[in-house]
Amino acid sequence: MTTIIIIPRFVFENGRPCCWRRWWSRSNHFSLHPRTFRRRLFRLPSLWSGACSSPTSTSTTGTTTNNQQFRHFTETSTTSSTTRACPPTPPSANVVIVGGGIIGTSVAYHLGKLGIKNVILLERDKLTSGTTWHAAGLINTFGSLSVTSTSMRMYTKNLYSTILPEETSMDTGFYPVGFIELACDGHRLEYYRRVAALNRYCGVKVDEISPKEVRDKFPLIETSGVLKGFYVKDDGRANPYEVTMALAKGAKLYGVDIYENISVREVSKSNSLGLCSMSGKAIKDCIPRVTGVILENGDEIEANIVVNCTGMWARQFGERCGVHIPNQAAEHYYLITDAMEEVDPSWPVVEDSSRCVYIRPEGGGLMLGLFERMGAPWCVKEIPETFSFGEIEPDWDRMGPYLQEAMERVPVTLNVGAKKFFCGPESFTPDGAPIVGETPELKNYYVAAGLNSIGILTGGGIGNLLASWIAAKRSPSDFDVTGINVDRFQPYQCNPKYRADRVGEILGETYRVHYPDHYLSTCRNIKKSPLHTKMANQNAYFRDVSGWESPAWFAAPHAKPRIDKHHFGRQNFFPNWENEHRACRENVALFDMSFMSKFLVSGDDAGRFLNYLSTANVDGDKGRITYTQWLNHDGYVEADLTISKLDDNEFLVVATDTMHNHVLTHMKRHLTNQMHVFVHDVTNAYAQINLQGPNSRRLLQCVTSFNIDNDNFPFRAVTELDIGYAKSICTRITYVGELGYELFVPAEFAHHVYDTIINLKHAGLKALGSLRLEKGYRDYGHDVDNTDTPLEAGLGFTCDFKKDGGFIGMESILTQKNWAKENGGLCKRMAQVLLCDSSPLLHSGEVLWRNGERIGEIRSASYGHTLGGAVGLCMLQSSEPITKDKAFIEKGEWIIERGTDFIPCDVSFESFYDPSNYKVKM
């Protein structure tokens, strides 16, 4: 009789260990799903309780076990000359980095390389002991539609393959075995072709290969269902431990001191800047600044700068000093098989997102890593401080089906044993992008965390970026950081329920096809406009807008607002979107824009303060609204916004939703208690109703006694007017290129005002996007970012070089302006793009060609229903100056690369729609 004993990783059959799945597949139980089979066997309490006492596992409560024998899958020593015992910690330092994983050591290395002195790194245990030690180490430059992410991946690969070995004489374990992404359905094939086009523009050498070529490079792969592979020959894998040790050694060579077994309890801070030389009174910042760190033993190290690189502990460490960092740990799994003679360690890494798996050789066998479609949070309340080199007990019931699906891609794995089915924590963020930069709550407190399981892949780039940020005391101008800046988040996103509900979906997004109209479904209906129920009654299809529920488009009466099926073509709502767009162009439409960030700035110094921040003169006559930019001292754009002067000492500042904290923090960082300025966030206090279209004046005049004809209320005018029983702030401004008005209505009057003016077409954000892109209006964080100056973005008209006091960044802009004059143009210039064929769509990320050479990528795109084709904005980039005349356009043959399609297009430096602005000012 066969005796069977079940333990978490193996089945023992007749006293010999074998993979549970192999045993199941050849037993008389194959009528049962393996998950069901294991569940039934695990009902035997005596066997299960014994299995849980495995000496190499860590429970989900965070009990730490010594997994050093498994670390990095090789026989690697746990000590290193680069991290030998250091003398007692110093009493002070310039920069203190907290956390010694891949990110902390990368930041330390890059700070040292930049020549920043007196930098120390403090690690509570041993280097790599958090999540770095168990990372899979994939190095694939292919796969992202983000230029920032792709650039960081490319830099990281070069760092691991060339720079670190040359500088430190240490092996990083980087093997350029290649990388293949499988496209196993039509949607993935289209998506990866789009990705490939942008990645080639960034410098990634990616080839599209056949299923046979995939099989030739990885003979054990089952290629049934595979349409194509996307192959990067010199991608591969690295050893996370060895990379970290090389970074640590490099940091020490550049003068950084690294201390292990030193735990930091909290960060100390102060508001004081010293005494005023005239009054003798204390000068205080609006935002406190770092003064040092306090260790677990009570010792304090004074410091000018603290960098939080504590990985999955970043949130709880940040909370101790009032900083919000909403990352959350989730379970991450991979299986390592027994050795197989046929496995060649030089085979490439293979990803099959349709089966949620990556596959690579490991230890003579194969590693199958999983990113399931809905992940599981781990230790939401708190990550145990003592969790080091630890594991989580695998959830076999949940992961069994994913394993089955993954192993079918490499069928031989169904017939071999398993060395390890590993589960360990990885931290993820609410939007799947890393958290980087200086925190809005505390000056000189920087963070690099929440790497969403690509910390090894982007670790070099993240460290390089943040080190440059710290050294320059402002975000670098060579990376777009608008999508990764820590200040994009809101405090409520740190709430336990939010993190628990969101993190599983974000993990699942790793291998999901990123359709243009796909929105996250968790943590919804938590922030609603005062007009939400009114919009719902109009059949709105809501999307997430920085946590707000906002209409994307409106379904027909009695129809259910839904997307029938996601794809890259014209969706079922395309006619609805077109009707909303045309209603605004030809008649009038109502937009609920209540999600916009709104700040009331007042005080005796308010005008002078805002004028110094702004490129335009915003402190002129009261009753005027001004479109302006805010810059840093190097002249790069920090914000794009409007400022209305309501009274002599009162201003309304309005910015996009994604820049809420960024704009607020920008003001706070330039304020001290010596200024008579008060900033109030009034976003939630006002509903914002936009009436836009050629008949908007006629409509609004019917509901107010205030004369709004063109002579009395011209373009850019601001006033308070009556609508029914309510008073509203009204600005005559547009974001769609038509006559229009923006009404800021006290929230308690929103329903009344809406009911008073309701008889008109409603429009959503899809229409807003197509309307503004036909006009060529910019959107900061999408088509303009921190790598652009106003001159490059076509916004030089906002710069008033003659106003009293100038503005931040003015000298840099004047220098660039003079350079352009001397050289005949700028090397970067934003242009509008319109496809000549009316059928294809653009979704952003497409590549623009001029005369056979790539010249830029489409940053924002939509469909121009009035212009009759897809439209977008592109930042042209050239090694030679780009003249702002028709000759440069007319001498070019312009083509858009969209996947494998090459589509002729028109390009213009001025707006395709109403370039004279007649409709706006009528």
Side-chain angles (χ1 to χ4, degrees):
M1 183 179 72
T2 300
T3 303
I4 301 170
I5 302 174
I6 301 296
I7 67 173
R9 297 174 185 83
F10 309 100
V11 176
F12 279 79
E13 183 177 11
N14 290 329
R16 300 182 63 188
C18 74
C19 170
W20 68 269
R21 183 176 293 279
R22 182 178 64 177
W23 179 88
W24 166 77
S25 67
R26 67 173 185 237
S27 72
N28 59 358
H29 292 280
F30 31 98
S31 61
L32 298 177
H33 191 280
R35 177 176 59 179
T36 306
F37 167 68
R38 288 185 56 83
R39 185 186 300 120
R40 292 184 181 181
L41 287 176
F42 290 168
R43 287 173 183 165
L44 300 173
S46 59
L47 299 181
W48 180 241
S49 61
C52 283
S53 62
S54 170
T56 59
S57 66
T58 300
S59 73
T60 56
T61 60
T63 305
T64 306
T65 60
N66 189 344
N67 271 315
Q68 293 180 4
Q69 79 278 10
F70 173 58
R71 198 193 319 179
H72 330 302
F73 326 118
T74 59
E75 295 296 327
T76 306
S77 171
T78 60
T79 61
S80 169
S81 61
T82 64
T83 59
R84 62 185 179 274
C86 292
T89 54
S92 65
N94 179 24
V95 182
V96 175
I97 301 166
V98 185
I102 188 74
I103 302 301
T105 53
S106 180
V107 172
Y109 164 80
H110 286 95
L111 282 173
K113 194 169 184 176
L114 286 174
I116 306 301
K117 303 300 183 183
N118 200 8
V119 178
I120 66 173
L121 183 150
L122 306 178
E123 163 55 44
R124 66 183 176 90
D125 195 323
K126 301 294 183 183
L127 298 187
T128 78
S129 62
T131 62
T132 298
W133 73 275
H134 64 68
L138 308 187
I139 306 297
N140 56 293
T141 53
F142 175 82
S144 176
L145 275 175
S146 162
V147 173
T148 296
S149 181
T150 303
S151 299
M152 288 196 292
R153 294 176 186 209
M154 294 175 66
Y155 172 82
T156 298
K157 182 170 73 172
N158 187 45
L159 178 69
Y160 297 170
S161 64
T162 305
I163 299 172
L164 280 177
E166 290 179 353
E167 290 185 358
T168 67
S169 300
M170 291 185 69
D171 186 7
T172 63
F174 176 75
Y175 296 103
V177 294
F179 172 83
I180 303 174
E181 183 72 60
L182 302 182
C184 299
D185 57 63
H187 288 192
R188 281 180 168 79
L189 180 59
E190 180 172 359
Y191 177 69
Y192 290 136
R193 282 174 169 169
R194 288 171 177 265
V195 171
L198 181 66
N199 286 184
R200 292 186 190 107
Y201 167 71
C202 295
V204 178
K205 296 179 181 179
V206 54
D207 296 318
E208 186 174 317
I209 62 177
S210 69
K212 181 182 181 300
E213 290 173 297
V214 171
R215 187 73 177 263
D216 290 343
K217 298 178 188 303
F218 201 118
L220 295 183
I221 285 286
E222 172 55 59
T223 56
S224 62
V226 175
L227 303 179
K228 293 287 184 179
F230 292 84
Y231 176 57
V232 181
K233 182 179 180 179
D234 57 357
D235 279 355
R237 63 181 192 266
N239 185 306
Y241 176 81
E242 293 177 354
V243 170
T244 305
M245 293 303 116
L247 287 167
K249 182 177 180 180
K252 289 181 72 68
L253 290 173
Y254 287 118
V256 177
D257 287 329
I258 297 177
Y259 298 82
E260 294 183 310
N261 301 305
I262 300 293
S263 184
V264 179
R265 188 174 70 209
E266 60 183 304
V267 174
S268 56
K269 55 187 177 180
S270 172
N271 285 82
S272 178
L273 289 176
L275 299 178
C276 177
S277 58
M278 296 181 63
S279 66
K281 294 182 179 179
I283 302 175
K284 292 185 177 180
D285 261 337
C286 188
I287 302 175
R289 61 182 175 83
V290 162
T291 60
V293 296
I294 300 173
L295 307 182
E296 199 62 49
N297 63 8
D299 291 348
E300 183 170 2
I301 302 175
E302 294 181 0
N304 298 317
I305 296 167
V306 171
V307 189
N308 182 344
C309 296
T310 59
M312 61 182 173
W313 289 272
R315 176 194 55 79
Q316 60 202 56
F317 182 62
E319 283 180 347
R320 296 175 189 173
C321 57
V323 169
H324 297 97
I325 305 168
N327 66 325
Q328 170 60 47
E331 298 175 2
H332 177 51
Y333 291 84
Y334 50 71
L335 176 79
I336 300 176
T337 73
D338 286 340
M340 293 178 278
E341 291 184 2
E342 56 265 59
V343 171
D344 186 336
S346 67
W347 287 350
V349 177
V350 175
E351 276 190 355
D352 181 356
S353 63
S354 69
R355 292 177 180 265
C356 307
V357 65
Y358 60 84
I359 307 158
R360 72 168 180 82
E362 175 57 53
L366 294 177
M367 173 190 284
L368 282 73
L370 303 172
F371 284 99
E372 61 270 33
R373 296 176 183 89
M374 179 59 72
W378 182 72
C379 286
V380 173
K381 182 178 180 181
E382 184 177 61
I383 306 295
E385 297 288 346
T386 56
F387 187 85
S388 294
F389 299 113
E391 300 179 47
I392 304 169
E393 190 61 50
D395 185 343
W396 287 88
D397 285 351
R398 191 172 69 84
M399 298 306 297
Y402 290 106
L403 265 179
Q404 171 94 24
E405 194 175 6
M407 296 171 98
E408 288 169 354
R409 181 55 69 196
V410 193
V412 68
T413 58
L414 293 167
N415 299 307
V416 297
K419 288 182 182 178
K420 191 80 172 177
F421 186 41
F422 178 82
C423 178
E426 292 279 2
S427 75
F428 294 80
T429 64
D431 58 5
I435 302 175
V436 185
E438 186 178 13
T439 61
E441 300 92 347
L442 188 57
K443 275 187 177 180
N444 294 334
Y445 186 105
Y446 292 83
V447 61
L451 274 296
N452 304 281
S453 209
I454 58 170
I456 309 302
L457 173 57
T458 59
I462 291 287
N464 179 42
L465 182 152
L466 189 59
S468 300
W469 198 326
I470 293 169
K473 299 182 179 180
R474 61 182 68 100
S475 62
S477 59
D478 51 349
F479 288 100
D480 171 15
V481 301
T482 56
I484 65 176
N485 198 321
V486 61
D487 65 14
R488 72 189 187 274
F489 292 117
Q490 301 291 329
Y492 77 91
Q493 293 175 293
C494 284
N495 288 6
K497 180 168 176 55
Y498 184 98
R499 289 183 284 108
D501 290 349
R502 175 54 65 88
V503 69
E505 184 179 19
I506 293 299
L507 183 146
E509 288 288 310
T510 304
Y511 281 161
R512 187 170 285 127
V513 178
H514 298 152
Y515 296 107
D517 293 292
H518 167 70
Y519 310 114
L520 296 173
S521 60
T522 55
C523 305
R524 296 290 300 272
N525 293 304
I526 51 179
K527 291 174 67 177
K528 297 180 180 180
S529 156
L531 298 173
H532 179 83
T533 57
K534 300 291 187 180
M535 298 298 107
N537 291 339
Q538 292 290 325
N539 253 2
Y541 178 87
F542 290 101
R543 55 159 294 189
D544 183 322
V545 180
S546 299
W548 292 86
E549 295 297 317
S550 187
W553 50 274
F554 292 83
H558 310 299
K560 185 176 182 179
R562 68 179 183 185
I563 296 176
D564 291 341
K565 186 177 180 180
H566 284 287
H567 53 79
F568 294 97
R570 300 191 181 198
Q571 299 276 17
N572 60 287
F573 60 80
F574 193 90
N576 307 64
W577 167 21
E578 180 178 4
N579 289 338
E580 295 167 25
H581 177 108
R582 294 193 181 281
C584 185
R585 281 279 181 256
E586 299 164 9
N587 189 4
V588 60
L590 179 149
F591 299 81
D592 179 11
M593 301 291 289
S594 301
F595 58 82
M596 293 291 285
S597 305
K598 301 176 279 289
F599 306 96
L600 194 63
V601 182
S602 59
D604 294 343
D605 298 322
R608 184 163 56 252
F609 167 71
L610 290 174
N611 224 17
Y612 181 58
L613 296 183
S614 304
T615 56
N617 183 4
V618 301
D619 193 23
D621 297 335
K622 65 181 180 181
R624 296 283 285 172
I625 182 172
T626 303
Y627 173 58
T628 188
Q629 310 295 299
W630 288 353
L631 314 179
N632 63 26
H633 286 278
D634 292 333
Y636 293 96
V637 180
E638 290 285 338
D640 169 271
L641 60 174
T642 62
I643 299 179
S644 298
K645 187 170 183 179
L646 306 179
D647 209 337
D648 289 336
N649 298 321
E650 190 174 50
F651 299 80
L652 181 64
V653 176
V654 179
T656 186
D657 57 291
T658 56
M659 293 297 124
H660 184 280
N661 273 346
H662 189 73
V663 167
L664 180 59
T665 303
H666 191 78
M667 288 189 280
K668 287 183 175 180
R669 283 179 179 154
H670 291 88
L671 281 174
T672 71
N673 65 339
Q674 300 295 294
M675 302 178 186
H676 193 263
V677 177
F678 306 92
V679 179
H680 301 280
D681 183 357
V682 295
T683 301
N684 301 330
Y686 289 92
Q688 182 177 337
I689 301 173
N690 288 9
L691 303 176
Q692 300 287 323
N695 289 328
S696 57
R697 179 186 291 126
R698 184 182 307 167
L699 173 69
L700 184 58
Q701 189 65 81
C702 290
V703 296
T704 182
S705 64
F706 185 84
N707 181 8
I708 58 171
D709 67 24
N710 203 38
D711 293 332
N712 194 55
F713 200 63
F715 180 62
R716 291 183 54 207
V718 180
T719 192
E720 183 181 73
L721 52 74
D722 63 291
I723 299 178
Y725 299 121
K727 291 285 189 181
S728 301
I729 299 170
C730 179
T731 64
R732 185 178 161 188
I733 200 73
T734 183
Y735 192 51
V736 300
E738 301 291 343
L739 169 68
Y741 305 86
E742 296 182 355
L743 301 174
F744 298 90
V745 184
E748 63 271 25
F749 287 103
H751 278 209
H752 170 69
V753 169
Y754 174 86
D755 290 340
T756 303
I757 59 176
I758 187 170
N759 191 23
L760 74 164
K761 184 75 172 179
H762 289 56
L765 293 178
K766 291 293 294 184
L768 185 79
S770 57
L771 291 159
R772 71 103 178 170
L773 283 169
E774 283 190 330
K775 183 62 176 171
Y777 287 150
R778 284 30 169 180
D779 185 3
Y780 186 75
H782 292 88
D783 31 61
V784 177
D785 56 54
N786 60 283
T787 67
D788 307 316
T789 70
L791 301 183
E792 295 165 346
L795 301 173
F797 66 89
T798 69
C799 296
D800 186 342
F801 298 107
K802 298 180 180 180
K803 67 176 180 176
D804 292 342
F807 55 87
I808 293 175
M810 187 173 77
E811 291 184 2
S812 297
I813 297 302
L814 285 171
T815 299
Q816 186 183 47
K817 188 176 182 180
N818 291 333
W819 188 94
K821 186 176 181 180
E822 293 172 0
N823 292 275
L826 300 167
C827 294
K828 282 178 62 180
R829 202 178 284 280
M830 182 156 283
Q832 203 174 4
V833 175
L834 174 66
L835 294 189
C836 299
D837 185 342
S838 62
S839 299
L841 302 182
L842 296 176
H843 299 301
S844 81
E846 296 85 2
V847 178
L848 179 65
W849 293 66
R850 180 182 184 269
N851 294 338
E853 294 184 356
R854 299 178 179 93
I855 195 170
E857 92 278 4
I858 303 300
R859 291 188 176 182
S860 290
S862 188
Y863 190 85
H865 299 282
T866 306
L867 297 177
V871 64
L873 287 170
C874 177
M875 182 64 77
L876 310 183
Q877 300 190 62
S878 173
S879 58
E880 300 295 327
I882 300 171
T883 59
K884 194 181 179 180
D885 55 29
K886 292 185 178 180
F888 181 83
I889 301 294
E890 292 172 351
K891 291 179 181 179
E893 181 186 12
W894 299 93
I895 302 289
I896 286 287
E897 180 184 8
R898 192 196 66 167
T900 56
D901 299 325
F902 290 84
I903 309 165
C905 64
D906 293 326
V907 176
S908 176
F909 289 128
E910 63 179 11
S911 174
F912 283 120
Y913 181 78
D914 186 28
S916 67
N917 287 327
Y918 169 78
K919 292 178 178 292
V920 170
K921 300 178 180 180
M922 59 184 284

